[in-house]
Amino acid sequence: LLSCRLYCEEAKDPKRRSCQTVLAEALDIVVRSFAPILPHLAEEVFQYIPYKKGSEGVFRTGWINASSAWKKPGIEEAIEGACAMRDSFLGSISGKNALEYEAIIVIEPGLLFELMEALQAEETSSASQLNEIMMASQTTLLSELPKETPSDANIIKGTFLINLEGGDICEQSSYKVIARPIAKAKCPRCRRYTAESSSTPCPRCLQVLAAGKGST
């Protein structure tokens, strides 16, 4: 997930910048956390952080002060739900390359479906947050099984308990996950199977490369 955002997206793309922000925040919290027991190491790391301004040390800049903006209702549950579906997906193709597959997720309309829609607005995507978590080349989010689903398809069923607002909102939701071999070629840039030809980058990478040329 990190490598795709950091190395495949355009330098100023919000997805790439948000990833850098999360990494910076995580590093800041970790360094401050172990500073009381490993002061010399914490101070050395802190002094080498490239985006820090001023010469004050880790002990002069206060304790952990995470922004309340990180506490967005529903995000934790959405990520946990997606991770549960990813485990089902990867378990169904054990030992195989997940990028050679499309993940099809089927959830009946309800709270879990809405949480997944927050991670992927489109029905099918190769660049959504949901697809990044699934680790597939492409993810399709549906409310019912596709009509063309083979009778012998390996359908993995699971359930996920949603607990919001301190237990005031509680819902047990079921889901189905299907791993389907993807028919497209491997992109020579992002390594996902989303290209029309193995010698040509996929549409997403072509767009990024074109934007890079336009800014130079």
Short mmCIF file of all heavy atoms in Angstrom, two decimals, residues 89 92-93 97-105 120 123-125 131 134-142 146 148 177-183 193:
data_model
loop_
_atom_site.label_atom_id
_atom_site.label_comp_id
_atom_site.label_asym_id
_atom_site.label_seq_id
_atom_site.Cartn_x
_atom_site.Cartn_y
_atom_site.Cartn_z
N PHE A 89 -9.80 -12.95 1.31
CA PHE A 89 -9.32 -12.95 -0.08
C PHE A 89 -7.98 -13.66 -0.19
O PHE A 89 -7.80 -14.56 -1.02
CB PHE A 89 -9.23 -11.51 -0.59
CG PHE A 89 -8.48 -11.34 -1.88
CD1 PHE A 89 -8.97 -11.86 -3.06
CD2 PHE A 89 -7.28 -10.64 -1.91
CE1 PHE A 89 -8.28 -11.70 -4.26
CE2 PHE A 89 -6.58 -10.47 -3.09
CZ PHE A 89 -7.08 -11.00 -4.27
N SER A 92 -8.06 -17.40 0.31
CA SER A 92 -8.62 -18.19 -0.79
C SER A 92 -7.62 -18.42 -1.91
O SER A 92 -7.83 -19.29 -2.77
CB SER A 92 -9.85 -17.49 -1.35
OG SER A 92 -9.51 -16.29 -2.03
N ILE A 93 -6.53 -17.66 -1.93
CA ILE A 93 -5.48 -17.83 -2.97
C ILE A 93 -4.14 -18.11 -2.31
O ILE A 93 -3.10 -17.66 -2.79
CB ILE A 93 -5.39 -16.59 -3.88
CG1 ILE A 93 -5.12 -15.32 -3.04
CG2 ILE A 93 -6.66 -16.40 -4.69
CD1 ILE A 93 -4.70 -14.13 -3.88
N ASN A 97 0.17 -15.05 -6.04
CA ASN A 97 0.35 -13.61 -6.13
C ASN A 97 -1.00 -12.91 -6.19
O ASN A 97 -1.75 -13.07 -7.15
CB ASN A 97 1.19 -13.27 -7.36
CG ASN A 97 1.48 -11.79 -7.49
OD1 ASN A 97 1.11 -10.98 -6.63
ND2 ASN A 97 2.17 -11.40 -8.56
N ALA A 98 -1.32 -12.11 -5.16
CA ALA A 98 -2.62 -11.45 -5.09
C ALA A 98 -2.83 -10.49 -6.25
O ALA A 98 -3.98 -10.24 -6.66
CB ALA A 98 -2.75 -10.70 -3.76
N LEU A 99 -1.74 -9.94 -6.80
CA LEU A 99 -1.88 -8.99 -7.90
C LEU A 99 -2.36 -9.64 -9.19
O LEU A 99 -2.75 -8.95 -10.13
CB LEU A 99 -0.54 -8.29 -8.14
CG LEU A 99 -0.09 -7.31 -7.06
CD1 LEU A 99 1.29 -6.77 -7.37
CD2 LEU A 99 -1.08 -6.17 -6.91
N GLU A 100 -2.35 -10.96 -9.24
CA GLU A 100 -2.83 -11.65 -10.43
C GLU A 100 -4.34 -11.88 -10.38
O GLU A 100 -4.91 -12.56 -11.23
CB GLU A 100 -2.11 -12.99 -10.59
CG GLU A 100 -0.62 -12.84 -10.85
CD GLU A 100 0.09 -14.17 -10.97
OE1 GLU A 100 -0.57 -15.23 -10.83
OE2 GLU A 100 1.30 -14.18 -11.21
N TYR A 101 -4.99 -11.29 -9.35
CA TYR A 101 -6.42 -11.52 -9.14
C TYR A 101 -7.19 -10.21 -8.99
O TYR A 101 -6.63 -9.18 -8.61
CB TYR A 101 -6.65 -12.38 -7.90
CG TYR A 101 -6.19 -13.81 -8.05
CD1 TYR A 101 -4.86 -14.15 -7.86
CD2 TYR A 101 -7.09 -14.81 -8.43
CE1 TYR A 101 -4.43 -15.47 -8.01
CE2 TYR A 101 -6.67 -16.13 -8.57
CZ TYR A 101 -5.35 -16.44 -8.37
OH TYR A 101 -4.92 -17.74 -8.52
N GLU A 102 -8.48 -10.32 -9.27
CA GLU A 102 -9.43 -9.27 -8.94
C GLU A 102 -10.21 -9.73 -7.72
O GLU A 102 -10.63 -10.89 -7.64
CB GLU A 102 -10.40 -9.03 -10.10
CG GLU A 102 -11.53 -8.08 -9.76
CD GLU A 102 -12.61 -8.00 -10.82
OE1 GLU A 102 -12.56 -8.81 -11.78
OE2 GLU A 102 -13.50 -7.14 -10.70
N ALA A 103 -10.38 -8.84 -6.75
CA ALA A 103 -11.18 -9.16 -5.57
C ALA A 103 -12.60 -8.63 -5.77
O ALA A 103 -12.79 -7.45 -6.01
CB ALA A 103 -10.56 -8.55 -4.32
N ILE A 104 -13.57 -9.53 -5.69
CA ILE A 104 -14.97 -9.14 -5.81
C ILE A 104 -15.60 -9.26 -4.42
O ILE A 104 -15.61 -10.34 -3.83
CB ILE A 104 -15.72 -10.04 -6.81
CG1 ILE A 104 -15.06 -9.94 -8.19
CG2 ILE A 104 -17.19 -9.63 -6.88
CD1 ILE A 104 -15.64 -10.90 -9.21
N ILE A 105 -16.08 -8.14 -3.90
CA ILE A 105 -16.67 -8.10 -2.57
C ILE A 105 -18.17 -7.87 -2.71
O ILE A 105 -18.60 -6.92 -3.38
CB ILE A 105 -16.05 -6.97 -1.72
CG1 ILE A 105 -14.54 -7.20 -1.56
CG2 ILE A 105 -16.71 -6.90 -0.35
CD1 ILE A 105 -13.83 -6.04 -0.90
N GLN A 120 -14.09 3.19 -1.32
CA GLN A 120 -14.13 3.04 -2.78
C GLN A 120 -15.48 3.51 -3.30
O GLN A 120 -16.48 2.82 -3.17
CB GLN A 120 -13.88 1.58 -3.19
CG GLN A 120 -13.96 1.36 -4.70
CD GLN A 120 -13.49 -0.01 -5.13
OE1 GLN A 120 -12.35 -0.39 -4.87
NE2 GLN A 120 -14.34 -0.78 -5.77
N GLU A 123 -17.66 1.47 -8.47
CA GLU A 123 -17.97 0.04 -8.35
C GLU A 123 -16.71 -0.80 -8.50
O GLU A 123 -16.48 -1.74 -7.76
CB GLU A 123 -19.00 -0.37 -9.41
CG GLU A 123 -19.42 -1.83 -9.33
CD GLU A 123 -20.50 -2.19 -10.32
OE1 GLU A 123 -21.67 -1.80 -10.09
OE2 GLU A 123 -20.18 -2.86 -11.34
N THR A 124 -15.88 -0.44 -9.47
CA THR A 124 -14.62 -1.16 -9.73
C THR A 124 -13.47 -0.17 -9.78
O THR A 124 -13.58 0.88 -10.43
CB THR A 124 -14.69 -1.94 -11.06
OG1 THR A 124 -15.75 -2.90 -10.99
CG2 THR A 124 -13.38 -2.67 -11.32
N SER A 125 -12.38 -0.49 -9.10
CA SER A 125 -11.24 0.43 -9.07
C SER A 125 -9.94 -0.35 -8.86
O SER A 125 -9.92 -1.38 -8.20
CB SER A 125 -11.41 1.46 -7.96
OG SER A 125 -10.27 2.30 -7.89
N ASN A 131 -8.97 -1.05 -2.62
CA ASN A 131 -8.13 -1.95 -3.42
C ASN A 131 -6.71 -2.02 -2.87
O ASN A 131 -6.08 -3.08 -2.91
CB ASN A 131 -8.10 -1.50 -4.89
CG ASN A 131 -7.39 -2.51 -5.76
OD1 ASN A 131 -7.83 -3.64 -5.92
ND2 ASN A 131 -6.25 -2.11 -6.32
N MET A 134 -6.89 -4.43 -0.05
CA MET A 134 -7.11 -5.80 -0.52
C MET A 134 -5.86 -6.39 -1.15
O MET A 134 -5.71 -7.61 -1.24
CB MET A 134 -8.26 -5.83 -1.53
CG MET A 134 -9.62 -5.45 -0.95
SD MET A 134 -10.17 -6.53 0.40
CE MET A 134 -10.46 -8.06 -0.48
N MET A 135 -4.95 -5.53 -1.64
CA MET A 135 -3.68 -5.95 -2.23
C MET A 135 -3.88 -6.65 -3.58
O MET A 135 -3.01 -7.40 -4.04
CB MET A 135 -2.90 -6.85 -1.27
CG MET A 135 -2.55 -6.18 0.04
SD MET A 135 -1.85 -7.29 1.29
CE MET A 135 -0.33 -7.82 0.48
N ALA A 136 -5.04 -6.44 -4.20
CA ALA A 136 -5.32 -7.03 -5.51
C ALA A 136 -4.98 -6.03 -6.60
O ALA A 136 -4.66 -4.87 -6.33
CB ALA A 136 -6.80 -7.42 -5.59
N SER A 137 -5.06 -6.46 -7.85
CA SER A 137 -4.87 -5.52 -8.95
C SER A 137 -6.11 -4.68 -9.18
O SER A 137 -6.04 -3.56 -9.67
CB SER A 137 -4.50 -6.28 -10.23
OG SER A 137 -3.11 -6.52 -10.29
N GLN A 138 -7.25 -5.24 -8.78
CA GLN A 138 -8.52 -4.54 -8.99
C GLN A 138 -9.54 -5.07 -8.00
O GLN A 138 -9.55 -6.25 -7.67
CB GLN A 138 -8.99 -4.80 -10.43
CG GLN A 138 -10.28 -4.14 -10.83
CD GLN A 138 -10.57 -4.34 -12.30
OE1 GLN A 138 -9.95 -3.73 -13.16
NE2 GLN A 138 -11.50 -5.23 -12.61
N THR A 139 -10.39 -4.17 -7.49
CA THR A 139 -11.43 -4.58 -6.54
C THR A 139 -12.78 -4.09 -7.04
O THR A 139 -12.92 -2.94 -7.46
CB THR A 139 -11.16 -4.01 -5.14
OG1 THR A 139 -9.96 -4.59 -4.62
CG2 THR A 139 -12.31 -4.33 -4.19
N THR A 140 -13.76 -4.98 -6.98
CA THR A 140 -15.13 -4.65 -7.36
C THR A 140 -16.02 -4.79 -6.13
O THR A 140 -15.99 -5.82 -5.45
CB THR A 140 -15.63 -5.57 -8.49
OG1 THR A 140 -14.83 -5.35 -9.66
CG2 THR A 140 -17.08 -5.28 -8.83
N LEU A 141 -16.80 -3.75 -5.85
CA LEU A 141 -17.70 -3.73 -4.70
C LEU A 141 -19.14 -3.78 -5.18
O LEU A 141 -19.59 -2.89 -5.90
CB LEU A 141 -17.46 -2.46 -3.86
CG LEU A 141 -18.33 -2.26 -2.63
CD1 LEU A 141 -18.11 -3.38 -1.61
CD2 LEU A 141 -18.04 -0.90 -1.99
N LEU A 142 -19.87 -4.84 -4.79
CA LEU A 142 -21.23 -5.06 -5.26
C LEU A 142 -22.18 -5.32 -4.10
O LEU A 142 -21.75 -5.70 -3.00
CB LEU A 142 -21.27 -6.25 -6.22
CG LEU A 142 -20.37 -6.19 -7.47
CD1 LEU A 142 -20.36 -7.54 -8.17
CD2 LEU A 142 -20.85 -5.10 -8.42
N PRO A 146 -22.56 -11.23 -8.94
CA PRO A 146 -22.70 -11.02 -10.38
C PRO A 146 -23.43 -12.20 -11.02
O PRO A 146 -23.25 -13.35 -10.61
CB PRO A 146 -21.26 -10.92 -10.88
CG PRO A 146 -20.40 -10.78 -9.68
CD PRO A 146 -21.15 -11.28 -8.52
N GLU A 148 -22.90 -13.55 -13.80
CA GLU A 148 -22.00 -14.44 -14.53
C GLU A 148 -21.11 -15.27 -13.60
O GLU A 148 -20.18 -15.93 -14.06
CB GLU A 148 -21.13 -13.65 -15.50
CG GLU A 148 -20.12 -12.70 -14.85
CD GLU A 148 -20.69 -11.34 -14.54
OE1 GLU A 148 -21.93 -11.19 -14.58
OE2 GLU A 148 -19.91 -10.43 -14.28
N VAL A 177 -16.58 -12.88 -0.53
CA VAL A 177 -15.40 -12.46 -1.29
C VAL A 177 -15.08 -13.53 -2.33
O VAL A 177 -15.04 -14.72 -2.02
CB VAL A 177 -14.18 -12.25 -0.37
CG1 VAL A 177 -12.94 -11.88 -1.20
CG2 VAL A 177 -14.46 -11.17 0.66
N ILE A 178 -14.86 -13.08 -3.56
CA ILE A 178 -14.49 -13.98 -4.64
C ILE A 178 -13.17 -13.50 -5.23
O ILE A 178 -13.00 -12.32 -5.52
CB ILE A 178 -15.55 -14.00 -5.75
CG1 ILE A 178 -16.93 -14.36 -5.18
CG2 ILE A 178 -15.17 -14.99 -6.86
CD1 ILE A 178 -18.06 -14.18 -6.18
N ALA A 179 -12.22 -14.42 -5.40
CA ALA A 179 -10.96 -14.11 -6.07
C ALA A 179 -11.05 -14.61 -7.51
O ALA A 179 -11.19 -15.81 -7.74
CB ALA A 179 -9.80 -14.78 -5.34
N ARG A 180 -10.99 -13.68 -8.46
CA ARG A 180 -11.11 -14.05 -9.87
C ARG A 180 -9.83 -13.67 -10.61
O ARG A 180 -9.37 -12.52 -10.51
CB ARG A 180 -12.31 -13.34 -10.49
CG ARG A 180 -12.57 -13.73 -11.94
CD ARG A 180 -13.93 -13.25 -12.41
NE ARG A 180 -14.02 -11.79 -12.45
CZ ARG A 180 -15.15 -11.14 -12.73
NH1 ARG A 180 -16.27 -11.82 -12.95
NH2 ARG A 180 -15.16 -9.82 -12.76
N PRO A 181 -9.21 -14.62 -11.32
CA PRO A 181 -7.98 -14.29 -12.08
C PRO A 181 -8.24 -13.12 -13.02
O PRO A 181 -9.26 -13.08 -13.71
CB PRO A 181 -7.70 -15.59 -12.86
CG PRO A 181 -8.33 -16.66 -12.04
CD PRO A 181 -9.58 -16.04 -11.45
N ILE A 182 -7.34 -12.19 -13.02
CA ILE A 182 -7.53 -10.99 -13.83
C ILE A 182 -6.98 -11.22 -15.24
O ILE A 182 -5.98 -11.92 -15.43
CB ILE A 182 -6.85 -9.77 -13.16
CG1 ILE A 182 -7.45 -8.48 -13.68
CG2 ILE A 182 -5.35 -9.80 -13.31
CD1 ILE A 182 -7.26 -7.31 -12.73
N ALA A 183 -7.66 -10.65 -16.22
CA ALA A 183 -7.34 -10.94 -17.61
C ALA A 183 -6.37 -9.94 -18.23
O ALA A 183 -5.90 -10.16 -19.34
CB ALA A 183 -8.62 -10.98 -18.44
N TYR A 193 -1.68 -5.79 -12.59
CA TYR A 193 -2.21 -6.33 -13.84
C TYR A 193 -3.40 -5.49 -14.30
O TYR A 193 -4.54 -5.92 -14.25
CB TYR A 193 -2.59 -7.80 -13.65
CG TYR A 193 -1.38 -8.69 -13.48
CD1 TYR A 193 -0.67 -8.73 -12.29
CD2 TYR A 193 -0.92 -9.49 -14.54
CE1 TYR A 193 0.45 -9.53 -12.13
CE2 TYR A 193 0.20 -10.29 -14.40
CZ TYR A 193 0.89 -10.30 -13.19
OH TYR A 193 2.01 -11.10 -13.04
#
